[in-house]
Amino acid sequence: MAILVLGGAGYIGSHTVYELIAAGRDVVVADNLLTGFRAAVHPKARFYEADIRDRQAMDQIFEREEIEGVIHFAASSQVGESMSNPLKYYDNNLWGTTCLLQSMVAHGVDKIVFSSTAATYGEPERVPILETDPTHPTNCYGETKLAMETMMRWTQQAHGLRYVALRYFNACGAHPSGAIGEAHNPETHLIPLILQVPNGQRDHISIFGEDYPTKDGTCVRDYIHVTDLAQAHILAMDYLLQGGESNVFNLGNGVGFTVKEVIDVARKVTGHPIPAQVSPRRAGDPAQLVASSEKARTVLGWKPQYADLETIVSSAWDWHKAHPNGY
Ligand code: UDP
């Protein structure tokens, strides 16, 4: 039996495929390659170029392969873009997941682990955030991810599907082997954009807003290494395969860093002065997002290995130095 990884050519998906293969699992990957890269797919995974909105393509995969569970990363994931083009997010994230679940139900595949996000919480009332805290997304990306969680819940009631929603905080870093890393086109995420400065690809990093109610006025985020996220997906799939009930878990390190602190860590790691300029706030950004991941540690036995931001940024820097233009 195989695990089907949707979006397995993307950043977090490709790292999860590497960990699954290292753990000896049989892996099938489907990706439409709109934002993912064929070169990021582990050579031992069976690859289908397919879009989750294509019901026929999904049906074909479930008919050809013996799938015991699905790990679903195939979604649009940029906060800024979701504010300027919200309907793209409804189409790809919600319509895509609708088609996928229809196909899973039709083929009796009843276990799914999927990417949710800290953006489901919106502006938190307190940090660290617990899974039981209120969810009031401040951007369309978070809204569609929360709606995906709700879609799973109703599908469970009607059809017995079991799911794990993993609410990631800020994914970063690269595979320790250097084989794969973070590559987006265009890049919008903080750490890869910062590293473009020492890589000679941009002359400064913009800080989006310096007037947030945080210790230095810039946004606070909880940065978590992509390999630690990947491990959590395997634990979550095993939890479902062993009969675990549907559940929601936060995945973060429980430590918040401001944008300015992240830039300082990158200066230390790279030895480059990395000039920074303050620019206006980006629409939809909450001031701070920091996870309590106690539940994932207790229920799934998750133990992040890369708690230190310097180590995380170093692994990202190794990848970006070696692959300045991505794949
Ligand atoms: N950010 C920034 N400059 C940039 C890109 C991002 O100041 O060029 C900030 C952004 O406003 C947010 C944090 O860095 O507060 C992390 O943003 P990212 O897009 O990496 O992840 P997100 O928190 O949106 O998932």
Side-chain angles (χ1 to χ4, degrees):
M1 297 288 273
I3 306 289
L4 173 61
V5 181
L6 302 167
Y11 174 43
I12 306 173
S14 61
H15 284 77
T16 301
V17 172
Y18 267 64
E19 296 306 310
L20 282 164
I21 301 263
R25 312 295 273 263
D26 189 23
V27 182
V28 175
V29 170
D31 197 298
N32 63 11
L33 298 182
L34 289 182
T35 55
F37 300 92
R38 182 67 183 86
V41 179
H42 196 290
K44 286 195 179 151
R46 287 190 295 293
F47 179 71
Y48 292 81
E49 186 171 339
D51 192 304
I52 58 167
R53 291 164 292 190
D54 182 346
R55 173 69 197 272
Q56 222 182 348
M58 289 300 107
D59 286 347
Q60 270 176 10
I61 296 173
F62 287 116
E63 276 149 31
R64 274 194 209 154
E65 303 282 351
E66 277 198 65
I67 303 298
E68 60 180 345
V70 173
I71 307 185
H72 173 28
F73 297 97
S76 301
S77 65
Q78 293 170 18
V79 169
E81 182 191 52
S82 80
M83 300 301 280
S84 57
N85 192 0
L87 298 180
K88 175 176 174 180
Y89 282 67
Y90 278 85
D91 179 44
N92 199 19
N93 297 1
L94 287 178
W95 174 237
T97 301
T98 306
C99 298
L100 166 66
L101 292 183
Q102 285 171 340
S103 185
M104 286 178 66
V105 168
H107 293 87
V109 179
D110 62 356
K111 295 168 204 71
I112 181 166
V113 174
F114 71 101
S115 314
S116 187
T117 170
T120 53
Y121 294 108
E123 198 66 67
E125 284 164 16
R126 58 171 181 185
V127 291
I129 303 168
L130 289 169
E131 289 84 349
T132 44
D133 285 351
T135 45
H136 300 296
T138 53
N139 54 63
C140 183
Y141 165 61
E143 188 75 71
T144 57
K145 287 285 176 166
L146 188 58
M148 277 168 65
E149 292 188 11
T150 313
M151 192 189 291
M152 301 279 171
R153 204 167 65 232
W154 293 114
T155 309
Q156 160 164 24
Q157 284 203 17
H159 303 290
L161 173 107
R162 283 180 298 122
Y163 65 90
V164 168
L166 297 176
R167 292 180 179 162
Y168 317 145
F169 283 62
N170 286 64
C172 49
H175 196 271
S177 70
I180 51 171
E182 183 166 12
H184 299 107
N185 192 11
E187 189 51 75
T188 64
H189 293 104
L190 180 63
I191 291 176
L193 284 174
I194 293 173
L195 295 175
Q196 285 180 358
V197 182
N199 241 355
Q201 296 164 304
R202 90 178 31 241
D203 57 14
H204 72 276
I205 180 73
S206 298
I207 296 174
F208 296 156
E210 200 185 24
D211 56 350
Y212 286 96
T214 61
K215 62 180 172 182
D216 63 17
T218 66
C219 287
V220 170
R221 294 288 182 274
D222 182 340
Y223 294 87
I224 178 80
H225 196 279
V226 65
T227 300
D228 286 329
L229 289 183
Q231 289 297 345
H233 290 79
I234 300 179
L235 292 168
M237 180 50 73
D238 287 342
Y239 162 89
L240 288 177
L241 290 170
Q242 288 156 16
E245 287 305 315
S246 295
N247 225 325
V248 178
F249 298 100
N250 287 339
L251 299 178
N253 270 316
V255 185
F257 291 90
T258 67
V259 172
K260 287 184 178 174
E261 286 171 335
V262 177
I263 297 169
D264 276 339
V265 168
R267 287 178 178 137
K268 194 169 166 200
V269 165
T270 63
H272 188 284
I274 311 185
Q277 279 176 22
V278 178
S279 63
R281 287 181 176 201
R282 184 175 69 179
D285 269 341
Q288 48 178 338
L289 292 170
V290 179
S292 164
S293 299
E294 279 316 303
K295 188 175 162 192
R297 289 168 190 266
T298 312
V299 178
L300 298 178
W302 184 56
K303 286 194 203 80
Q305 304 293 312
Y306 297 86
D308 169 54
L309 188 61
E310 229 176 282
T311 316
I312 295 176
V313 173
S314 288
S315 81
W317 179 226
D318 287 344
W319 159 261
H320 288 288
K321 258 189 308 191
H323 304 86
N325 300 311
Y327 288 97

